[in-house]
Amino acid sequence: MIVVATDAPLEARDLKRLAARAVFGLARTGSSYSNGSGDYAIAFSTSPEARTRHGETAARPRAVLPAEAVSPLFEAVLEATEEAVYNSLLRATTVTSRFGSAEGIPIDRLTEVLRRYRPTP
């Protein structure tokens, strides 16, 4: 589950597009999708300018970003999602339960492998 929160004044349509970009950010990390994968994203805005108040019947002007101004937010969501996945993988610790253990990734060994096999520019 990916949750995207922004204070940008966005309409529901652009929030839906933002959530889709978060899933694309997950794909950048090598995630593959299959039936029942459970990969979902939601997005919301805390901006008071874009909000319609519950029970409001009178029309009032709302300040929202135009669609062409949303592209930088798309890139930010892609990068933030990708970074969050890498942070969760690399900061995880070993856990044990009655079902077994899941080992945390040893960062020193990972760094060694990346240095050894990373193609040089």
Side-chain angles (χ1 to χ4, degrees):
M1 180 71 180
I2 304 166
V3 178
V4 178
T6 181
D7 61 355
L10 298 175
E11 291 183 327
R13 175 181 168 273
D14 288 328
L15 288 168
K16 185 175 181 179
R17 295 170 63 207
L18 209 58
R21 290 338 187 265
V23 176
F24 296 161
L26 185 61
R28 281 185 174 183
T29 66
S31 176
S32 62
Y33 304 100
S34 61
N35 183 47
S37 66
D39 300 321
Y40 295 97
I42 60 171
F44 67 91
S45 174
T46 61
S47 172
E49 289 87 23
R51 222 178 274 158
T52 301
R53 295 185 183 15
H54 179 70
E56 189 173 53
T57 57
R60 68 176 172 88
R62 295 186 309 150
V64 294
L65 283 180
E68 61 272 6
V70 181
S71 289
L73 295 176
F74 289 163
E75 187 63 32
V77 166
L78 284 164
E79 291 176 4
T81 302
E82 185 178 14
E83 186 72 19
V85 170
Y86 292 141
N87 284 342
S88 67
L89 286 171
L90 296 175
R91 300 308 301 166
T93 58
T94 300
V95 293
T96 304
S97 75
R98 64 185 179 121
F99 301 109
S101 291
E103 299 291 323
I105 296 174
I107 296 175
D108 54 340
R109 286 182 32 213
L110 175 64
T111 304
E112 178 185 321
V113 168
L114 289 173
R115 280 193 188 120
R116 183 179 306 154
Y117 296 105
R118 174 184 275 167
T120 55

